[in-house]
Amino acid sequence: MATKKPAAPAKTTGTALAVKKAVGGQVVDIRAQLAKEVADMASRVGAPGGDAIRITQDKKFEFPDGTKSNGPINLVIVDFVSMNQFYDGPYDKDNISPPACFAIGSNPTALVASDNSPVKQSAGCAACPMNQFGSDGKGKACKNGRVLAVLPPGATADTPLWILKVSPTALKSFDAYVTSVVRSFQLPPVSVITEISFDDSVTYASLRFGDPQPNDNLEACFARKEEAMARLLTEPDVSQYEAPAPQKKAAMPARRK
């Protein structure tokens, strides 16, 4: 008498990630759980290094491969975010410490300090004492800036994204430029090629933006927007943060008898 062969296991499509498992009597979709984790991943890792265009004190653009340019340079601004950073220690160019408090977001008027900040200064940036004019001389103790994800005009799908930071001294110029592009073209900055240069009227390196030209490579650049935003929202690595040492009080002079 012939015996029946055991039934072959049912084929699954893809990997086991598509399987729904019963946990505590409830059915859990693993893919949905992973998607939820991906949304939170940017705030759990430090920003990658080596992808930034550095601005040197002698007014040069230094690209990630080490080449330098006096500018102007032409780039496509794929997307950008606002970033506030507060440093509670003195600046040391040879030992750059992480910020004590930081916030990243698309709306500069609605930024909220990250829960990953080593020392949060306030719940919201708008009312934070360190984000008010006069908190550091005539300026702000908190550094307000923009962070841009950029590509060269002829970029392809494999061209690495670059990061370019806009300092507080260039903030007005950048915001005015974006407003001008939107008003003139009725399109976001990714739709144009932007000329970026240094302000010749000041001795320090301060960026200026202008001369927008139509971006004939718009489709390739626009396809990178999701990647760009994921990079822009990646929080800085603050694992090496150390609170500044308390300043010693000057010794009181001995009282004369």
Side-chain angles (χ1 to χ4, degrees), residues 87-250:
Y87 295 85
D88 56 1
Y91 175 73
D92 181 356
K93 65 181 181 64
D94 298 320
N95 185 25
I96 305 298
S97 62
C101 185
F102 66 90
I104 308 173
S106 299
N107 187 344
T109 64
L111 291 182
V112 176
S114 169
D115 290 335
N116 295 318
S117 297
V119 188
K120 286 181 67 173
Q121 301 297 303
S122 180
C125 294
C128 179
M130 299 302 171
N131 197 36
Q132 310 304 316
F133 285 104
S135 55
D136 183 22
K138 293 183 178 180
K140 295 181 178 182
C142 185
K143 179 182 176 182
N144 300 165
R146 306 282 184 265
V147 185
L148 321 181
V150 298
L151 286 170
T156 67
D158 298 322
T159 304
L161 279 166
W162 291 330
I163 294 299
L164 181 64
K165 294 184 177 181
V166 178
S167 68
T169 63
L171 209 54
K172 287 184 178 180
S173 171
F174 176 74
D175 288 355
Y177 173 74
V178 171
T179 301
S180 175
V181 168
V182 172
R183 183 175 59 245
S184 301
F185 294 87
Q186 297 297 305
L187 291 169
V190 68
S191 65
V192 299
I193 298 171
T194 300
E195 182 183 271
I196 306 175
S197 59
F198 293 104
D199 186 349
D200 292 331
S201 67
V202 295
T203 57
Y204 51 87
S206 185
L207 299 179
R208 295 296 180 264
F209 303 82
D211 193 25
Q213 299 295 323
N215 179 13
D216 295 332
N217 194 30
L218 176 57
E219 184 176 353
C221 294
F222 186 81
R224 307 288 296 277
K225 281 182 72 69
E226 184 175 352
E227 175 191 353
M229 186 53 69
R231 171 62 182 89
L232 291 170
L233 293 177
T234 302
E235 297 187 342
D237 181 5
V238 293
S239 60
Q240 302 302 312
Y241 169 81
E242 293 183 5
Q247 295 183 346
K248 294 182 179 180
K249 293 183 179 180

Side-chain angles (χ1 to χ4, degrees), residues 62-86:
E62 183 175 343
F63 293 89
D65 63 359
T67 59
K68 294 183 179 181
S69 171
N70 293 323
I73 59 175
N74 293 318
L75 295 171
V76 176
I77 302 170
V78 181
D79 218 329
F80 65 93
V81 294
S82 297
M83 177 181 282
N84 291 347
Q85 293 177 298
F86 169 70

